[in-house]
Amino acid sequence: MQPLDLIKTRFQIQSIHTEQYSSIGDCIKKIYQNEGILSFYKGILPPILADVPKRATKFFTFEQYKQLFSFGAPSPTALSFTLAGLASGVTEGFLINPFEVVKVRLQAENQVFSKQISAWSMAKVIVHENGFGLSGLNKGLTSTLFRHGIFNMIYFSFYHNIKGYMKPYQVLLVEV
């Protein structure tokens, strides 16, 4: 995702009144000239640190929710997969949101990479300024819950409901 995620974030946070970048090329050029090549990787540590727990949470909770939403049936139904996907995504969203907040704040910094504070220091700044709530480390929680919930609902539902219709892959060997 890096450095495209950084460029996306820069465009998202600029306002019409203080437009800094006129195009993607202009954004790349200005970041490189003003902040240096390493600045394209600002905010990369939080997603790296969060990725393994995020995936583990997603798949573990999906399996738990799948059993819960089977409502005693011998095997999960299409509804079970859909509800389990939604619930696992919402659970994942709660876990990942603080990391997203830190990542975006790091990406929003317009200074040379070598002068940027660490991810841990940024998290402490956010907590000091705004706390843990919806103005601090959990800013944007609602949209993160919707994004992860809906994505996982579609992902798991589609996968588990369609895989039964697919033929198993067979390797065809041709003798020469």
PDB file of all heavy atoms in Angstrom, residues 136-168:
ATOM      1  N   GLY A 136     -10.021  10.820  20.084  1.00  0.00           N
ATOM      2  CA  GLY A 136      -8.609  10.456  20.211  1.00  0.00           C
ATOM      3  C   GLY A 136      -8.268   9.215  19.410  1.00  0.00           C
ATOM      4  O   GLY A 136      -8.436   9.187  18.195  1.00  0.00           O
ATOM      5  N   LEU A 137      -7.803   8.174  20.108  1.00  0.00           N
ATOM      6  CA  LEU A 137      -7.360   6.959  19.431  1.00  0.00           C
ATOM      7  C   LEU A 137      -8.482   6.208  18.727  1.00  0.00           C
ATOM      8  O   LEU A 137      -8.221   5.347  17.894  1.00  0.00           O
ATOM      9  CB  LEU A 137      -6.678   6.010  20.419  1.00  0.00           C
ATOM     10  CG  LEU A 137      -5.188   6.221  20.637  1.00  0.00           C
ATOM     11  CD1 LEU A 137      -4.634   5.188  21.598  1.00  0.00           C
ATOM     12  CD2 LEU A 137      -4.407   6.201  19.337  1.00  0.00           C
ATOM     13  N   ASN A 138      -9.709   6.532  19.048  1.00  0.00           N
ATOM     14  CA  ASN A 138     -10.824   5.867  18.370  1.00  0.00           C
ATOM     15  C   ASN A 138     -11.585   6.804  17.434  1.00  0.00           C
ATOM     16  O   ASN A 138     -12.737   6.560  17.110  1.00  0.00           O
ATOM     17  CB  ASN A 138     -11.753   5.216  19.383  1.00  0.00           C
ATOM     18  CG  ASN A 138     -11.169   3.916  19.873  1.00  0.00           C
ATOM     19  OD1 ASN A 138     -10.910   3.018  19.085  1.00  0.00           O
ATOM     20  ND2 ASN A 138     -10.904   3.823  21.168  1.00  0.00           N
ATOM     21  N   LYS A 139     -10.904   7.854  16.995  1.00  0.00           N
ATOM     22  CA  LYS A 139     -11.512   8.763  16.027  1.00  0.00           C
ATOM     23  C   LYS A 139     -11.804   7.988  14.742  1.00  0.00           C
ATOM     24  O   LYS A 139     -10.995   7.194  14.286  1.00  0.00           O
ATOM     25  CB  LYS A 139     -10.556   9.920  15.725  1.00  0.00           C
ATOM     26  CG  LYS A 139     -11.158  11.000  14.885  1.00  0.00           C
ATOM     27  CD  LYS A 139     -10.221  12.171  14.769  1.00  0.00           C
ATOM     28  CE  LYS A 139     -10.935  13.329  14.093  1.00  0.00           C
ATOM     29  NZ  LYS A 139     -10.146  14.551  14.169  1.00  0.00           N
ATOM     30  N   GLY A 140     -12.976   8.195  14.180  1.00  0.00           N
ATOM     31  CA  GLY A 140     -13.342   7.495  12.950  1.00  0.00           C
ATOM     32  C   GLY A 140     -13.766   6.055  13.166  1.00  0.00           C
ATOM     33  O   GLY A 140     -13.844   5.279  12.212  1.00  0.00           O
ATOM     34  N   LEU A 141     -14.051   5.690  14.406  1.00  0.00           N
ATOM     35  CA  LEU A 141     -14.386   4.295  14.719  1.00  0.00           C
ATOM     36  C   LEU A 141     -15.615   3.822  13.945  1.00  0.00           C
ATOM     37  O   LEU A 141     -15.621   2.729  13.393  1.00  0.00           O
ATOM     38  CB  LEU A 141     -14.610   4.122  16.227  1.00  0.00           C
ATOM     39  CG  LEU A 141     -14.983   2.716  16.689  1.00  0.00           C
ATOM     40  CD1 LEU A 141     -13.863   1.735  16.383  1.00  0.00           C
ATOM     41  CD2 LEU A 141     -15.315   2.710  18.173  1.00  0.00           C
ATOM     42  N   THR A 142     -16.630   4.641  13.867  1.00  0.00           N
ATOM     43  CA  THR A 142     -17.866   4.233  13.197  1.00  0.00           C
ATOM     44  C   THR A 142     -17.611   3.856  11.745  1.00  0.00           C
ATOM     45  O   THR A 142     -18.056   2.803  11.280  1.00  0.00           O
ATOM     46  CB  THR A 142     -18.916   5.357  13.273  1.00  0.00           C
ATOM     47  OG1 THR A 142     -19.106   5.713  14.637  1.00  0.00           O
ATOM     48  CG2 THR A 142     -20.244   4.920  12.686  1.00  0.00           C
ATOM     49  N   SER A 143     -16.870   4.698  11.029  1.00  0.00           N
ATOM     50  CA  SER A 143     -16.608   4.381   9.619  1.00  0.00           C
ATOM     51  C   SER A 143     -15.699   3.160   9.484  1.00  0.00           C
ATOM     52  O   SER A 143     -15.856   2.372   8.548  1.00  0.00           O
ATOM     53  CB  SER A 143     -16.019   5.584   8.889  1.00  0.00           C
ATOM     54  OG  SER A 143     -14.827   6.003   9.498  1.00  0.00           O
ATOM     55  N   THR A 144     -14.779   2.967  10.404  1.00  0.00           N
ATOM     56  CA  THR A 144     -13.923   1.777  10.367  1.00  0.00           C
ATOM     57  C   THR A 144     -14.754   0.521  10.613  1.00  0.00           C
ATOM     58  O   THR A 144     -14.565  -0.499   9.938  1.00  0.00           O
ATOM     59  CB  THR A 144     -12.791   1.877  11.413  1.00  0.00           C
ATOM     60  OG1 THR A 144     -12.025   3.042  11.129  1.00  0.00           O
ATOM     61  CG2 THR A 144     -11.888   0.663  11.384  1.00  0.00           C
ATOM     62  N   LEU A 145     -15.684   0.575  11.557  1.00  0.00           N
ATOM     63  CA  LEU A 145     -16.544  -0.575  11.827  1.00  0.00           C
ATOM     64  C   LEU A 145     -17.401  -0.910  10.613  1.00  0.00           C
ATOM     65  O   LEU A 145     -17.545  -2.080  10.248  1.00  0.00           O
ATOM     66  CB  LEU A 145     -17.431  -0.311  13.048  1.00  0.00           C
ATOM     67  CG  LEU A 145     -16.707  -0.140  14.385  1.00  0.00           C
ATOM     68  CD1 LEU A 145     -17.716   0.140  15.489  1.00  0.00           C
ATOM     69  CD2 LEU A 145     -15.855  -1.345  14.714  1.00  0.00           C
ATOM     70  N   PHE A 146     -17.960   0.117   9.982  1.00  0.00           N
ATOM     71  CA  PHE A 146     -18.760  -0.116   8.769  1.00  0.00           C
ATOM     72  C   PHE A 146     -17.893  -0.714   7.657  1.00  0.00           C
ATOM     73  O   PHE A 146     -18.284  -1.681   7.006  1.00  0.00           O
ATOM     74  CB  PHE A 146     -19.412   1.182   8.280  1.00  0.00           C
ATOM     75  CG  PHE A 146     -20.728   1.473   8.930  1.00  0.00           C
ATOM     76  CD1 PHE A 146     -20.827   2.470   9.885  1.00  0.00           C
ATOM     77  CD2 PHE A 146     -21.867   0.765   8.596  1.00  0.00           C
ATOM     78  CE1 PHE A 146     -22.025   2.754  10.492  1.00  0.00           C
ATOM     79  CE2 PHE A 146     -23.077   1.029   9.200  1.00  0.00           C
ATOM     80  CZ  PHE A 146     -23.167   2.026  10.159  1.00  0.00           C
ATOM     81  N   ARG A 147     -16.718  -0.128   7.431  1.00  0.00           N
ATOM     82  CA  ARG A 147     -15.847  -0.595   6.352  1.00  0.00           C
ATOM     83  C   ARG A 147     -15.460  -2.062   6.549  1.00  0.00           C
ATOM     84  O   ARG A 147     -15.620  -2.888   5.653  1.00  0.00           O
ATOM     85  CB  ARG A 147     -14.596   0.273   6.265  1.00  0.00           C
ATOM     86  CG  ARG A 147     -13.617  -0.177   5.185  1.00  0.00           C
ATOM     87  CD  ARG A 147     -12.390   0.685   5.145  1.00  0.00           C
ATOM     88  NE  ARG A 147     -11.586   0.472   6.351  1.00  0.00           N
ATOM     89  CZ  ARG A 147     -10.631   1.283   6.753  1.00  0.00           C
ATOM     90  NH1 ARG A 147     -10.338   2.369   6.076  1.00  0.00           N
ATOM     91  NH2 ARG A 147      -9.956   1.021   7.854  1.00  0.00           N
ATOM     92  N   HIS A 148     -14.966  -2.393   7.732  1.00  0.00           N
ATOM     93  CA  HIS A 148     -14.512  -3.763   7.981  1.00  0.00           C
ATOM     94  C   HIS A 148     -15.688  -4.729   8.086  1.00  0.00           C
ATOM     95  O   HIS A 148     -15.604  -5.867   7.618  1.00  0.00           O
ATOM     96  CB  HIS A 148     -13.642  -3.825   9.240  1.00  0.00           C
ATOM     97  CG  HIS A 148     -12.283  -3.246   9.028  1.00  0.00           C
ATOM     98  ND1 HIS A 148     -11.205  -4.003   8.666  1.00  0.00           N
ATOM     99  CD2 HIS A 148     -11.836  -1.970   9.094  1.00  0.00           C
ATOM    100  CE1 HIS A 148     -10.142  -3.233   8.523  1.00  0.00           C
ATOM    101  NE2 HIS A 148     -10.503  -1.991   8.779  1.00  0.00           N
ATOM    102  N   GLY A 149     -16.780  -4.290   8.700  1.00  0.00           N
ATOM    103  CA  GLY A 149     -17.954  -5.153   8.822  1.00  0.00           C
ATOM    104  C   GLY A 149     -18.541  -5.515   7.471  1.00  0.00           C
ATOM    105  O   GLY A 149     -18.778  -6.693   7.174  1.00  0.00           O
ATOM    106  N   ILE A 150     -18.751  -4.515   6.627  1.00  0.00           N
ATOM    107  CA  ILE A 150     -19.347  -4.773   5.314  1.00  0.00           C
ATOM    108  C   ILE A 150     -18.396  -5.577   4.429  1.00  0.00           C
ATOM    109  O   ILE A 150     -18.814  -6.527   3.761  1.00  0.00           O
ATOM    110  CB  ILE A 150     -19.770  -3.449   4.652  1.00  0.00           C
ATOM    111  CG1 ILE A 150     -20.956  -2.867   5.426  1.00  0.00           C
ATOM    112  CG2 ILE A 150     -20.122  -3.651   3.182  1.00  0.00           C
ATOM    113  CD1 ILE A 150     -21.335  -1.458   5.035  1.00  0.00           C
ATOM    114  N   PHE A 151     -17.103  -5.211   4.431  1.00  0.00           N
ATOM    115  CA  PHE A 151     -16.153  -5.961   3.608  1.00  0.00           C
ATOM    116  C   PHE A 151     -16.127  -7.427   4.002  1.00  0.00           C
ATOM    117  O   PHE A 151     -16.215  -8.319   3.148  1.00  0.00           O
ATOM    118  CB  PHE A 151     -14.735  -5.373   3.703  1.00  0.00           C
ATOM    119  CG  PHE A 151     -13.725  -6.225   2.986  1.00  0.00           C
ATOM    120  CD1 PHE A 151     -13.570  -6.124   1.613  1.00  0.00           C
ATOM    121  CD2 PHE A 151     -12.970  -7.164   3.683  1.00  0.00           C
ATOM    122  CE1 PHE A 151     -12.661  -6.948   0.946  1.00  0.00           C
ATOM    123  CE2 PHE A 151     -12.056  -7.981   3.022  1.00  0.00           C
ATOM    124  CZ  PHE A 151     -11.906  -7.874   1.650  1.00  0.00           C
ATOM    125  N   ASN A 152     -15.983  -7.708   5.299  1.00  0.00           N
ATOM    126  CA  ASN A 152     -15.893  -9.096   5.754  1.00  0.00           C
ATOM    127  C   ASN A 152     -17.200  -9.845   5.559  1.00  0.00           C
ATOM    128  O   ASN A 152     -17.193 -11.050   5.296  1.00  0.00           O
ATOM    129  CB  ASN A 152     -15.437  -9.167   7.206  1.00  0.00           C
ATOM    130  CG  ASN A 152     -13.961  -8.891   7.340  1.00  0.00           C
ATOM    131  OD1 ASN A 152     -13.158  -9.339   6.544  1.00  0.00           O
ATOM    132  ND2 ASN A 152     -13.587  -8.119   8.338  1.00  0.00           N
ATOM    133  N   MET A 153     -18.315  -9.147   5.667  1.00  0.00           N
ATOM    134  CA  MET A 153     -19.609  -9.776   5.415  1.00  0.00           C
ATOM    135  C   MET A 153     -19.656 -10.278   3.965  1.00  0.00           C
ATOM    136  O   MET A 153     -20.017 -11.423   3.700  1.00  0.00           O
ATOM    137  CB  MET A 153     -20.738  -8.786   5.664  1.00  0.00           C
ATOM    138  CG  MET A 153     -22.118  -9.344   5.362  1.00  0.00           C
ATOM    139  SD  MET A 153     -23.430  -8.145   5.650  1.00  0.00           S
ATOM    140  CE  MET A 153     -23.137  -6.976   4.326  1.00  0.00           C
ATOM    141  N   ILE A 154     -19.249  -9.427   3.028  1.00  0.00           N
ATOM    142  CA  ILE A 154     -19.261  -9.810   1.615  1.00  0.00           C
ATOM    143  C   ILE A 154     -18.193 -10.871   1.339  1.00  0.00           C
ATOM    144  O   ILE A 154     -18.458 -11.871   0.666  1.00  0.00           O
ATOM    145  CB  ILE A 154     -19.062  -8.563   0.726  1.00  0.00           C
ATOM    146  CG1 ILE A 154     -20.263  -7.635   0.872  1.00  0.00           C
ATOM    147  CG2 ILE A 154     -18.835  -8.957  -0.727  1.00  0.00           C
ATOM    148  CD1 ILE A 154     -20.061  -6.250   0.285  1.00  0.00           C
ATOM    149  N   TYR A 155     -16.999 -10.650   1.873  1.00  0.00           N
ATOM    150  CA  TYR A 155     -15.875 -11.567   1.623  1.00  0.00           C
ATOM    151  C   TYR A 155     -16.186 -12.988   2.078  1.00  0.00           C
ATOM    152  O   TYR A 155     -16.105 -13.943   1.295  1.00  0.00           O
ATOM    153  CB  TYR A 155     -14.630 -11.026   2.343  1.00  0.00           C
ATOM    154  CG  TYR A 155     -13.449 -11.956   2.352  1.00  0.00           C
ATOM    155  CD1 TYR A 155     -12.634 -12.087   1.231  1.00  0.00           C
ATOM    156  CD2 TYR A 155     -13.144 -12.710   3.477  1.00  0.00           C
ATOM    157  CE1 TYR A 155     -11.542 -12.948   1.236  1.00  0.00           C
ATOM    158  CE2 TYR A 155     -12.055 -13.569   3.489  1.00  0.00           C
ATOM    159  CZ  TYR A 155     -11.263 -13.681   2.371  1.00  0.00           C
ATOM    160  OH  TYR A 155     -10.190 -14.536   2.378  1.00  0.00           O
ATOM    161  N   PHE A 156     -16.526 -13.162   3.349  1.00  0.00           N
ATOM    162  CA  PHE A 156     -16.759 -14.500   3.879  1.00  0.00           C
ATOM    163  C   PHE A 156     -18.029 -15.120   3.302  1.00  0.00           C
ATOM    164  O   PHE A 156     -18.059 -16.313   2.987  1.00  0.00           O
ATOM    165  CB  PHE A 156     -16.837 -14.479   5.410  1.00  0.00           C
ATOM    166  CG  PHE A 156     -15.498 -14.387   6.074  1.00  0.00           C
ATOM    167  CD1 PHE A 156     -15.156 -13.275   6.821  1.00  0.00           C
ATOM    168  CD2 PHE A 156     -14.578 -15.420   5.971  1.00  0.00           C
ATOM    169  CE1 PHE A 156     -13.920 -13.191   7.443  1.00  0.00           C
ATOM    170  CE2 PHE A 156     -13.344 -15.354   6.593  1.00  0.00           C
ATOM    171  CZ  PHE A 156     -13.019 -14.238   7.328  1.00  0.00           C
ATOM    172  N   SER A 157     -19.075 -14.326   3.160  1.00  0.00           N
ATOM    173  CA  SER A 157     -20.323 -14.835   2.608  1.00  0.00           C
ATOM    174  C   SER A 157     -20.124 -15.319   1.178  1.00  0.00           C
ATOM    175  O   SER A 157     -20.540 -16.426   0.822  1.00  0.00           O
ATOM    176  CB  SER A 157     -21.391 -13.736   2.655  1.00  0.00           C
ATOM    177  OG  SER A 157     -22.595 -14.212   2.112  1.00  0.00           O
ATOM    178  N   PHE A 158     -19.487 -14.499   0.362  1.00  0.00           N
ATOM    179  CA  PHE A 158     -19.255 -14.880  -1.030  1.00  0.00           C
ATOM    180  C   PHE A 158     -18.391 -16.140  -1.109  1.00  0.00           C
ATOM    181  O   PHE A 158     -18.743 -17.101  -1.795  1.00  0.00           O
ATOM    182  CB  PHE A 158     -18.579 -13.731  -1.783  1.00  0.00           C
ATOM    183  CG  PHE A 158     -18.316 -14.028  -3.229  1.00  0.00           C
ATOM    184  CD1 PHE A 158     -19.332 -13.922  -4.161  1.00  0.00           C
ATOM    185  CD2 PHE A 158     -17.064 -14.435  -3.649  1.00  0.00           C
ATOM    186  CE1 PHE A 158     -19.109 -14.211  -5.496  1.00  0.00           C
ATOM    187  CE2 PHE A 158     -16.818 -14.730  -4.975  1.00  0.00           C
ATOM    188  CZ  PHE A 158     -17.842 -14.619  -5.905  1.00  0.00           C
ATOM    189  N   TYR A 159     -17.281 -16.139  -0.407  1.00  0.00           N
ATOM    190  CA  TYR A 159     -16.356 -17.271  -0.464  1.00  0.00           C
ATOM    191  C   TYR A 159     -17.036 -18.578  -0.054  1.00  0.00           C
ATOM    192  O   TYR A 159     -16.999 -19.579  -0.770  1.00  0.00           O
ATOM    193  CB  TYR A 159     -15.121 -17.025   0.404  1.00  0.00           C
ATOM    194  CG  TYR A 159     -14.220 -18.223   0.474  1.00  0.00           C
ATOM    195  CD1 TYR A 159     -13.379 -18.543  -0.591  1.00  0.00           C
ATOM    196  CD2 TYR A 159     -14.227 -19.066   1.586  1.00  0.00           C
ATOM    197  CE1 TYR A 159     -12.560 -19.665  -0.543  1.00  0.00           C
ATOM    198  CE2 TYR A 159     -13.414 -20.186   1.635  1.00  0.00           C
ATOM    199  CZ  TYR A 159     -12.593 -20.483   0.570  1.00  0.00           C
ATOM    200  OH  TYR A 159     -11.797 -21.595   0.621  1.00  0.00           O
ATOM    201  N   HIS A 160     -17.660 -18.579   1.120  1.00  0.00           N
ATOM    202  CA  HIS A 160     -18.219 -19.823   1.639  1.00  0.00           C
ATOM    203  C   HIS A 160     -19.489 -20.254   0.904  1.00  0.00           C
ATOM    204  O   HIS A 160     -19.784 -21.453   0.852  1.00  0.00           O
ATOM    205  CB  HIS A 160     -18.484 -19.706   3.143  1.00  0.00           C
ATOM    206  CG  HIS A 160     -17.234 -19.730   3.949  1.00  0.00           C
ATOM    207  ND1 HIS A 160     -16.514 -20.886   4.169  1.00  0.00           N
ATOM    208  CD2 HIS A 160     -16.538 -18.750   4.564  1.00  0.00           C
ATOM    209  CE1 HIS A 160     -15.446 -20.620   4.895  1.00  0.00           C
ATOM    210  NE2 HIS A 160     -15.435 -19.320   5.146  1.00  0.00           N
ATOM    211  N   ASN A 161     -20.223 -19.319   0.352  1.00  0.00           N
ATOM    212  CA  ASN A 161     -21.434 -19.685  -0.376  1.00  0.00           C
ATOM    213  C   ASN A 161     -21.151 -20.103  -1.817  1.00  0.00           C
ATOM    214  O   ASN A 161     -21.928 -20.830  -2.408  1.00  0.00           O
ATOM    215  CB  ASN A 161     -22.448 -18.541  -0.350  1.00  0.00           C
ATOM    216  CG  ASN A 161     -23.078 -18.399   1.015  1.00  0.00           C
ATOM    217  OD1 ASN A 161     -23.572 -19.360   1.591  1.00  0.00           O
ATOM    218  ND2 ASN A 161     -23.043 -17.201   1.563  1.00  0.00           N
ATOM    219  N   ILE A 162     -20.041 -19.665  -2.386  1.00  0.00           N
ATOM    220  CA  ILE A 162     -19.722 -19.973  -3.780  1.00  0.00           C
ATOM    221  C   ILE A 162     -18.800 -21.185  -3.912  1.00  0.00           C
ATOM    222  O   ILE A 162     -18.864 -21.910  -4.895  1.00  0.00           O
ATOM    223  CB  ILE A 162     -19.081 -18.735  -4.473  1.00  0.00           C
ATOM    224  CG1 ILE A 162     -20.061 -17.571  -4.494  1.00  0.00           C
ATOM    225  CG2 ILE A 162     -18.600 -19.054  -5.875  1.00  0.00           C
ATOM    226  CD1 ILE A 162     -21.361 -17.848  -5.228  1.00  0.00           C
ATOM    227  N   LYS A 163     -17.960 -21.420  -2.926  1.00  0.00           N
ATOM    228  CA  LYS A 163     -16.956 -22.488  -3.080  1.00  0.00           C
ATOM    229  C   LYS A 163     -17.580 -23.857  -3.310  1.00  0.00           C
ATOM    230  O   LYS A 163     -16.967 -24.708  -3.961  1.00  0.00           O
ATOM    231  CB  LYS A 163     -15.982 -22.511  -1.908  1.00  0.00           C
ATOM    232  CG  LYS A 163     -16.519 -23.105  -0.633  1.00  0.00           C
ATOM    233  CD  LYS A 163     -15.433 -23.151   0.418  1.00  0.00           C
ATOM    234  CE  LYS A 163     -15.930 -23.879   1.646  1.00  0.00           C
ATOM    235  NZ  LYS A 163     -14.906 -23.983   2.652  1.00  0.00           N
ATOM    236  N   GLY A 164     -18.775 -24.093  -2.849  1.00  0.00           N
ATOM    237  CA  GLY A 164     -19.442 -25.372  -3.075  1.00  0.00           C
ATOM    238  C   GLY A 164     -19.828 -25.591  -4.531  1.00  0.00           C
ATOM    239  O   GLY A 164     -20.027 -26.732  -4.963  1.00  0.00           O
ATOM    240  N   TYR A 165     -19.925 -24.527  -5.282  1.00  0.00           N
ATOM    241  CA  TYR A 165     -20.296 -24.633  -6.691  1.00  0.00           C
ATOM    242  C   TYR A 165     -19.090 -24.769  -7.620  1.00  0.00           C
ATOM    243  O   TYR A 165     -19.241 -24.992  -8.813  1.00  0.00           O
ATOM    244  CB  TYR A 165     -21.108 -23.407  -7.121  1.00  0.00           C
ATOM    245  CG  TYR A 165     -22.422 -23.291  -6.399  1.00  0.00           C
ATOM    246  CD1 TYR A 165     -22.593 -22.351  -5.392  1.00  0.00           C
ATOM    247  CD2 TYR A 165     -23.494 -24.125  -6.713  1.00  0.00           C
ATOM    248  CE1 TYR A 165     -23.803 -22.235  -4.715  1.00  0.00           C
ATOM    249  CE2 TYR A 165     -24.705 -24.027  -6.038  1.00  0.00           C
ATOM    250  CZ  TYR A 165     -24.841 -23.078  -5.040  1.00  0.00           C
ATOM    251  OH  TYR A 165     -26.026 -22.978  -4.378  1.00  0.00           O
ATOM    252  N   MET A 166     -17.907 -24.606  -7.082  1.00  0.00           N
ATOM    253  CA  MET A 166     -16.696 -24.660  -7.900  1.00  0.00           C
ATOM    254  C   MET A 166     -16.185 -26.098  -7.979  1.00  0.00           C
ATOM    255  O   MET A 166     -16.216 -26.833  -6.992  1.00  0.00           O
ATOM    256  CB  MET A 166     -15.607 -23.753  -7.298  1.00  0.00           C
ATOM    257  CG  MET A 166     -16.051 -22.320  -7.078  1.00  0.00           C
ATOM    258  SD  MET A 166     -16.631 -21.494  -8.539  1.00  0.00           S
ATOM    259  CE  MET A 166     -15.094 -21.055  -9.273  1.00  0.00           C
ATOM    260  N   LYS A 167     -15.706 -26.463  -9.133  1.00  0.00           N
ATOM    261  CA  LYS A 167     -15.117 -27.784  -9.301  1.00  0.00           C
ATOM    262  C   LYS A 167     -13.729 -27.785  -8.671  1.00  0.00           C
ATOM    263  O   LYS A 167     -13.000 -26.800  -8.786  1.00  0.00           O
ATOM    264  CB  LYS A 167     -14.985 -28.119 -10.784  1.00  0.00           C
ATOM    265  CG  LYS A 167     -16.305 -28.340 -11.473  1.00  0.00           C
ATOM    266  CD  LYS A 167     -16.076 -28.707 -12.924  1.00  0.00           C
ATOM    267  CE  LYS A 167     -17.403 -28.909 -13.631  1.00  0.00           C
ATOM    268  NZ  LYS A 167     -17.213 -29.250 -15.057  1.00  0.00           N
ATOM    269  N   PRO A 168     -13.346 -28.886  -8.051  1.00  0.00           N
ATOM    270  CA  PRO A 168     -11.985 -28.952  -7.486  1.00  0.00           C
ATOM    271  C   PRO A 168     -10.940 -28.880  -8.605  1.00  0.00           C
ATOM    272  O   PRO A 168     -11.157 -29.399  -9.701  1.00  0.00           O
ATOM    273  CB  PRO A 168     -11.935 -30.311  -6.788  1.00  0.00           C
ATOM    274  CG  PRO A 168     -13.336 -30.800  -6.735  1.00  0.00           C
ATOM    275  CD  PRO A 168     -14.116 -30.076  -7.764  1.00  0.00           C
TER     276      PRO A 168
END
